[in-house]
Amino acid sequence: MSRAAEKKPVGFATQLVAGGIAGAMEALCCQPLDTIKVRMQLSKSGRTPGTKPRGFIATGALIVRRETPLALYKGLGAVLSGIVPKMAIRFASFERYKAWLADKQTGVTSLGNIFIAGLGAGVTEAVMVVNPMEVVKIRLQAQQHSLADPLEAPKYRNAGHAVYAIVREEGFSALYRGVTLTALRQATNQGANFTAYQELKKFAHKMQPELTDLPSYQHMLIGLISGAMGPFSNAPIDTIKTRLQKAEAKPGQSAFQRIAAIASDMWRQEGVSSFYKGITPRVLRVAPGQAVVFAVYERVRRAMESMKGSSEDNTYSE
């Protein structure tokens, strides 16, 4: 019997807990790089002829100098509040779509269908969790105020206050500004991510047939490689999305018109390189983030399955 056939489907509770813990660890480790990425994407530096856009190290140093090191964790509350449902939905929907697309006779899902399952998981998490969370996170990260000065009051005090203020001033739909771009970004991310991860994991098992489970460092390395693929393929989408979500909507202007206006302005004022602003910290954030997610997810999932198996064995022995 094959290794895949021997394993039972992972339960939703296991996906929820393992995914939530994995996501929380990713956020705590990688939030500073995400803040730097957002500031770079929103920056207008480099517009003046003869000047270059500020790099990610210089951007990080500027944030620390002006706003204290804690400013690198702006928006963390919004991320943590959404990370558990995000990861639960990502893994649960991927496994569900993967099962639906599997061959009815063999139970095996082809490479192309794994990619489609990843696309579906990305769209699902984007619509249900990611877009509202990112609108709030970006508004918090975009505030350039010093956390060391109690008299310098920001517009949004925290994630909860940001949600309240955005909905009150701009309507509930503001939380879904840029949802099409977010869904497109998440779909391409997870399509590439899950496909690469599944294939690399299969290759690792093939090269080490004596192993029932891969060690954590291999899950981390595979996650690192698979996680780096998405950012390079959809950087322009992510940059336009960030600027769209940061700005307030103009009356009478459709979402498509806003996207076109932002893209056109970036092209005219800052050139093609502006579409790739923040790519370095994004790759440095997403790739290690996926390494942490997959390593922690696999470890927690195995531990929970082991505990569940022990509990069932004890029940049967009574």
Side-chain angles (χ1 to χ4, degrees):
M1 186 180 290
S2 68
R3 183 182 290 107
E6 290 172 358
K7 288 189 175 181
K8 296 179 181 179
V10 179
F12 179 77
T14 300
Q15 291 164 345
L16 177 66
V17 176
I21 293 173
M25 288 299 295
E26 178 204 12
L28 290 170
C29 293
C30 303
Q31 181 68 9
L33 287 169
D34 188 69
T35 299
I36 295 171
K37 180 213 73 169
V38 167
R39 289 292 182 87
M40 288 180 70
Q41 290 176 330
L42 295 175
S43 172
K44 300 297 192 289
S45 66
R47 280 193 171 191
T48 306
T51 62
K52 294 182 178 181
R54 190 179 295 113
F56 81 98
I57 294 177
T59 301
L62 185 66
I63 293 172
V64 170
R65 187 168 65 250
R66 286 182 175 178
E67 306 169 52
T68 79
L70 285 176
L72 294 172
Y73 283 90
K74 284 180 177 179
L76 180 61
V79 174
L80 288 175
S81 64
I83 207 75
V84 172
K86 171 186 171 181
M87 288 300 174
I89 288 168
R90 173 182 297 180
F91 284 102
S93 62
F94 172 73
E95 292 296 339
R96 181 61 59 86
Y97 298 145
K98 182 183 171 185
W100 286 344
L101 294 167
D103 185 279
K104 303 305 178 186
Q105 295 180 337
T106 64
V108 176
T109 309
S110 67
L111 181 63
N113 283 340
I114 286 176
F115 180 72
I116 293 172
L119 291 178
V123 172
T124 303
E125 71 175 13
V127 173
M128 296 185 71
V129 179
V130 176
N131 203 84
M133 179 184 75
E134 288 209 346
V135 170
V136 174
K137 175 182 71 70
I138 287 168
R139 295 292 182 93
L140 290 168
Q141 288 174 322
Q143 295 185 133
Q144 300 190 29
H145 70 288
S146 174
L147 297 176
D149 185 356
L151 298 179
E152 192 174 351
K155 180 177 180 179
Y156 307 117
R157 295 192 296 271
N158 50 49
H161 179 253
V163 171
Y164 172 76
I166 291 169
V167 172
R168 185 189 63 189
E169 296 172 7
E170 305 170 51
F172 185 79
S173 62
L175 295 174
Y176 280 89
R177 187 166 300 144
V179 68
T180 303
L181 293 176
T182 302
L184 185 58
R185 185 200 65 184
Q186 292 304 110
T188 52
N189 266 349
Q190 300 318 319
N193 192 15
F194 276 114
T195 303
Y197 184 80
Q198 295 279 323
E199 288 301 299
L200 290 171
K201 186 178 174 182
K202 188 187 301 180
F203 176 76
H205 274 300
K206 184 178 179 181
M207 298 300 293
Q208 305 163 103
E210 73 281 1
L211 295 180
T212 303
D213 290 303
L214 298 177
S216 292
Y217 81 89
Q218 291 188 20
H219 284 300
M220 185 169 285
L221 180 60
I222 293 170
L224 183 74
I225 296 170
S226 64
M229 295 185 176
F232 284 110
S233 66
N234 56 30
I237 296 171
D238 188 58
T239 303
I240 295 171
K241 176 200 70 67
T242 297
R243 295 197 180 195
L244 179 68
Q245 291 175 328
K246 191 263 180 181
E248 295 187 6
K250 295 181 179 178
Q253 193 177 43
S254 69
F256 179 79
Q257 289 173 327
R258 290 197 297 272
I259 292 169
I262 290 170
S264 177
D265 181 66
M266 289 172 64
W267 179 271
R268 288 197 317 269
Q269 300 292 334
E270 302 168 65
V272 68
S273 63
S274 66
F275 292 94
Y276 288 86
K277 278 187 173 182
I279 186 65
T280 301
R282 187 173 175 223
V283 171
L284 290 176
R285 186 233 183 279
V286 172
Q290 290 307 300
V292 171
V293 164
F294 279 114
V296 174
Y297 177 82
E298 296 280 3
R299 174 57 66 89
V300 174
R301 178 185 60 79
R302 286 204 302 265
M304 292 186 67
E305 288 176 336
S306 176
M307 290 169 60
K308 185 178 179 181
S310 299
S311 176
E312 288 176 349
D313 290 342
N314 291 335
T315 301
Y316 293 144
S317 66
E318 289 176 353

